[in-house]
């Protein structure tokens, strides 16, 4: 764990294991406020409202949430228990559509019942607790491994541009895209990071700039439309981003704007790396067109962050939360097991 960030814990179970504690990311960078989620509705709303966000973190929050709800299912009958658990699982799965980690973590939790079909309900509950904790532990270990693999592709003093927040706040520890940056920081690499602000929800400004500054990393915040300028000036030697779903052909869904950054990187001859744990790979999606892209409230574009509305009342708004970067624009997809996709063009 990066020392300076050890006080920020994105998601955890509370001591009595009857609630999920999350750091409310909608309150950052102004305040570090923790919320305790005690029912399925709390967890659904926290994920939907991006109080907890980032693909791996929502998977972990949902797994913990499912366990907390499972504990309260008041029956010893395995059939009735399974039915209740399935209802909560399906409900939580619908909180956000694009990050596969959400449904994958919930599927994995339910699968525990299938792998121990003869176990009693109390044993199932204990197994669900262990599975949720394992999802979290595996995420932390994956992030570190991805960071090490990516760091080998980087050199001290490089300028690195990142989009959205794929850092400590988006996972359990270290982050995906920010993991090599933190490891480099620990080893004196002196990276200079450019963080896109990431309209409309400002994950780059509010979260990436916040956690990198807190960790003492040299970070410069830019508006999304400034990426071309910093690349043209020769200040960026690598782009590193996270991902929400990786299709079988290597197309990647990530925060809206990522594909534009990849096009710019190709134009300027800058390598574009995507970091994601294997849990983000969805082999049932043949390509990026099969990935469901979340569309969010128009108010995020017209009003949020402004003191007055900044768009005509009746204007049509299109507010996709993610986009797909085609695999041809990606230099490498780095997972905890090594390279899932490498483009040698
Ligand atoms: O809408 P968000 O903030 O959940 O979007 C997050 C991203 O797009 C991240 O880049 C992605 O989830 C990877 S997080 C390690």
């Amino acid at each position: 764990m990066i020392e300076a960030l050890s006080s920020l814990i994105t998601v955890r179970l509370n001591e009595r294991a009857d609630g999920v504690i999350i750091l409310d990311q909608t309150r950052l960078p102004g305040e570090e406020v923790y919320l305790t989620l005690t029912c399925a509705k709390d967890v659904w709303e926290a994920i939907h409202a991006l109080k907890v966000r980032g693909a791996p973190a929502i998977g972990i929050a949902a797994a913990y949430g499912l366990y907390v709800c499972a504990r309260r299912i008041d029956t010893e009958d395995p059939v009735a228990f399974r039915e209740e658990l399935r209802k909560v699982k399906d409900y939580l799965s619908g909180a956000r559509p694009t990050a596969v980690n959400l449904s994958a973590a919930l599927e994995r939790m339910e699968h525990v019942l299938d792998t121990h079909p003869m176990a009693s309900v109390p044993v199932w509950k204990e197994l669900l607790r262990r599975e949720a904790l394992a999802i979290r532990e595996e995420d932390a270990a994956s992030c570190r491994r991805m960071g090490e693999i990516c760091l080998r592709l980087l050199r001290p003093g490089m300028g690195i541009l990142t989009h959205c927040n794929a850092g400590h706040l988006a996972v359990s520890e270290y982050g995906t895209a920010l993991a090599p940056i933190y490891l480099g920081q620990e080893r004196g690499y002196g990276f200079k990071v450019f963080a896109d602000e990431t309209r409309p929800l400002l994950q780059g400004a509010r979260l990436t700039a916040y956690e990198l500054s807190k960790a003492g990393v040299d970070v410069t915040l830019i508006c999304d439309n400034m990426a071309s300028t910093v690349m043209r000036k020769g200040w960026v030697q690598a782009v590193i981003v996270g991902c929400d779903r990786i299709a079988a052909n290597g197309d990647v869904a990530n925060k809206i704007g990522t594909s534009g950054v990849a096009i710019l990187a190709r134009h300027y001859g800058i390598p574009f790396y995507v970091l994601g744990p294997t849990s983000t790979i969805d082999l049932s999606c043949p390509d990026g067109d099969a990935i469901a892209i979340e569309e969010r409230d128009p108010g995020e574009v017209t009003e949020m962050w402004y003191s007055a509305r900044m768009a005509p009342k009746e204007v049509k708004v299109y507010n996709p939360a993610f986009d797909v970067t085609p695999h041809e624009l990606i230099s490498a997809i780095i997972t905890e097991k090594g390279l899932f996709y490498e483009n040698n063009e």
Side-chain angles (χ1 to χ4, degrees):
M1 170 89 77
I2 315 113
E3 192 50 42
L5 300 181
S6 56
S7 65
L8 291 183
I9 301 179
T10 311
V11 46
R12 65 180 190 270
L13 266 185
N14 69 1
E15 256 172 40
R16 292 201 310 269
D18 59 1
V20 184
I21 303 181
I22 59 157
L23 174 61
D24 183 351
Q25 299 194 35
T26 61
R27 308 278 286 270
L28 291 173
E31 299 168 296
E32 289 176 11
V33 175
Y34 287 90
L35 305 175
T36 303
L37 317 173
T38 56
C39 64
K41 188 162 172 283
D42 285 356
V43 176
W44 191 97
E45 283 176 359
I47 292 173
H48 188 71
L50 275 54
K51 291 180 179 176
V52 55
R53 37 113 346 249
I58 61 178
I60 298 164
Y64 282 165
L66 187 62
Y67 164 64
V68 164
C69 296
R71 282 190 64 188
R72 299 228 181 83
I73 299 174
D74 189 16
T75 178
E76 296 285 310
D77 172 23
V79 176
F81 179 82
R82 190 185 271 274
E83 211 170 284
E84 279 307 302
L85 191 83
R86 166 73 58 87
K87 276 191 211 151
V88 181
K89 183 203 121 194
D90 290 348
Y91 172 64
L92 292 179
S93 274
R96 294 189 78 188
T98 305
V100 71
N101 309 61
L102 175 60
S103 50
L106 291 164
E107 289 294 335
R108 187 172 152 179
M109 290 289 283
E110 188 183 36
H111 191 59
V112 162
L113 275 49
D114 301 323
T115 48
H116 298 84
M118 305 315 282
S120 65
V121 168
V123 171
W124 270 348
K125 289 183 179 174
E126 173 54 19
L127 291 170
L128 286 167
R129 185 185 71 83
R130 288 190 205 165
E131 196 68 12
L133 293 174
I135 290 171
R136 191 233 169 256
E137 290 315 310
E138 286 168 27
D139 177 62
S142 295
C143 286
R144 230 199 127 88
R145 277 202 294 274
M146 270 182 275
E148 293 287 359
I149 296 169
C150 185
L151 191 62
R152 286 185 221 136
L153 304 170
L154 307 175
R155 297 287 162 265
M158 272 185 165
I160 296 171
L161 185 136
T162 190
H163 188 78
C164 193
N165 175 265
H168 179 80
L169 293 165
V171 301
S172 48
E173 283 174 38
Y174 276 89
T176 55
L178 299 193
I181 293 169
Y182 286 129
L183 292 174
Q185 173 78 357
E186 286 168 0
R187 294 166 203 180
Y189 272 54
F191 292 135
K192 293 183 174 20
V193 179
F194 292 91
D196 283 346
E197 68 173 348
T198 321
R199 278 278 294 159
L201 291 178
L202 306 184
Q203 287 93 333
R206 294 185 303 106
L207 308 174
T208 301
Y210 177 70
E211 60 165 90
L212 288 177
S213 315
K214 205 167 162 105
V217 175
D218 177 336
V219 55
T220 303
L221 177 64
I222 58 170
C223 298
D224 298 334
N225 52 11
M226 297 168 188
S228 176
T229 293
V230 295
M231 289 181 180
R232 188 175 161 82
K233 282 181 177 292
W235 294 347
V236 178
Q237 283 72 49
V239 174
I240 311 181
V241 298
C243 54
D244 287 81
R245 196 180 292 240
I246 304 170
N249 72 339
D251 291 353
V252 159
N254 190 48
K255 179 52 55 191
I256 190 72
T258 303
S259 63
V261 177
I263 292 166
L264 289 176
R266 175 57 58 91
H267 177 79
Y268 290 108
I270 298 167
F272 183 91
Y273 300 121
V274 175
L275 268 66
T278 43
S279 56
T280 310
I281 299 172
D282 182 1
L283 294 177
S284 74
C285 263
D287 56 35
D289 289 340
I291 301 176
I293 300 293
E294 176 181 12
E295 284 188 37
R296 295 187 60 86
D297 183 351
E300 291 175 353
V301 175
T302 54
E303 282 148 79
M304 208 166 171
W305 319 119
Y306 296 129
S307 54
R309 189 181 166 96
M310 283 295 143
K313 264 253 153 47
E314 305 306 333
V315 75
K316 279 195 282 177
V317 173
Y318 175 50
N319 182 16
F322 299 93
D323 66 16
V324 171
T325 301
H327 60 273
E328 310 87 67
L329 294 176
I330 297 172
S331 311
I333 296 177
I334 298 166
T335 73
E336 75 281 12
K337 299 199 170 136
L339 302 194
F340 170 69
Y341 172 82
E342 190 176 11
N343 184 348
N344 292 315
E345 256 173 48

